[in-house]
Amino acid sequence: MFHHILQAQSKYAKCIDDDRLEDWPSFFTDDCLYRVTTADNEKHGLAASVMFADSRAALIDRITALREANIYERHSYRHILSAPVVLSEAAHEVVSETSFLLVRIMRDGVTDLFLSGRYQDKYCVENDRLLLSERIVVCDSSRIDTLLAIPV
Amino acid sequence: MSVNGTAHQPGERAWPEEGVTRVPFWVYQDQEIYASEQRKIYQGSVWNYLCLEAEVAKPGDYRTTFVGDMPIIVTRDQDDEIYAFENRCSHRGSLLALENQGNTREFACVYHAWTFDLQGSLKGVAFKDGLNGKGGMPAEFCLENHNPKKLRIATVHGLVFGSLSDDVAPIEEYLGEAILGRIKRVLGGRTTEVIGRFTQALPNNWKLYFENTKDSYHASLLHLFFTTFRLNRLNMKGGILLDESGGHHVSYSMVDPEKDKSADYSDQGIRSESGFTLADPNLLKGFKEFPDGITLQLLSVFPGFVLQQIQNCIAIRQIVPRGTDKCDLNWTYIGFADDTKEQRSIRLKQSNLIGPGGFVSMEDGCVGGFVQRGIAGSSEVSGVLEMGGNTTESQDTRVTEASVRGFWKAYRSLMSL
């Protein structure tokens, strides 16, 4: 299972880093939960998110907005992931946690460590395929530079 | 843009003759202007937003914040009153509080253990009388003469404001009736709860962001989310309100009852110029919270406070300057104690619209930086603010820059520029 999770995480990161954002929702179940928040909000039990989606359709809207509506300076990401820690494993659900570093490369070449944090994941196991039923992205810092357009 | 007629020397900045319809770009770049703003604006005759009463709810609670560059501690003492003072030890100047929030009986400086009570008064000096008859402070050293700066406090519908000025007008007078009424409209009689906090680090001068919040002209031009997904309603009307100083404003849009003959918005009064629709329309599902039909209200209080209502999404934005070309935007997302579970969940979903990743706000995070970089070689040039005329009065249209001109009116008055 560890290797399946490792492969799924790597594919997810590669999908975003390769700018195949239209494929990003396909990593999730139909009724998934995807949130981006901070360690400070998690610590204090504050529920609001920087990004929030409680369906795959909402993830599709995120990408449509990103491509068609929102305005921001062109940039890309490079995800560096730790190996996942498998926290629990049942017949149809695997709970795991993975650390990430997210490097942001701006149009003009300026390259920064944009975010660090952890993915708190629940994977749904369906016919040998792993789909995220829940991904809570907990950023270590409460500061976000400029804006968060591309999903993490 | 227009070039100012006369060249200037550093320290001899002169505002363009056109007045509030021009903004000289040096005002976003000059280190001396920045230093002067700290004294004349933030520490001057203004009320600065500090935090929510709900964030210092119990005796002993404290929260740290900023007045311009100055670090501040806000407390609630055992007498249940709110106090605020500089987060600076009066000995060598170290920070006193090193956490964002907490509950305490006193503040002890970590450097030499000088202690301060919750009202910011110096109460103890370690080894004050020396050790074994040696060392210690001079006998005439008087604790009462060595306090960090203390702020005057005013609260308005759960918002805590502070001032370092002895002559600032009472908060009600400072805000004016119209602004006060619009704060009450959102927060009056309600118990606020913080539901999230984020800081957006912006690559621009603080004024560029504050102007942006007052700029109702840009809203439908820069923020294309509603238009792209055909969510704009044609039966909307709006306008802006300014206080007398020009420094505070309200921009709002609402359903126009004249044009709102049909109860069903879903197939009438909606623009249809793009082919995109939301795959999950639940994003904008709301509940009737405000009987006046106002769906968007942006309210700003000089020099750096914004109260925002976008549908059921309510948040406070505090703008903290961080040098000439940086500022922090502190977002506090708000719910209310009597929210039902469903209402709270609607607020959490709608918060997708706002914040660093907000569908209708993310652009504001980058556009100030575009200006800051764009003007880098043109300190002597000015930006133009003539949309909606040259006045700083309330108008029943949002296609105007009157609120931005109002900001410069208040700014210039305090800065003597």
Side-chain angles (χ1 to χ4, degrees), chain B residues 270-290:
Chain B
I270 293 177
R271 274 203 244 172
S272 56
E273 59 210 29
S274 90
F276 299 100
T277 51
L278 285 175
D280 186 354
N282 286 329
L283 169 66
L284 296 174
K285 190 175 161 234
F287 62 94
K288 187 91 179 168
E289 185 168 15
F290 302 99

Side-chain angles (χ1 to χ4, degrees), chain B residues 78 133 187 212 255 264 267 288 338 378 383 390 413:
Chain B
Q78 300 304 325
L187 301 176
N212 173 279
V255 175
D264 183 8
D267 32 56
K288 187 91 179 168
D338 59 359
S378 294
N390 57 13
S413 163

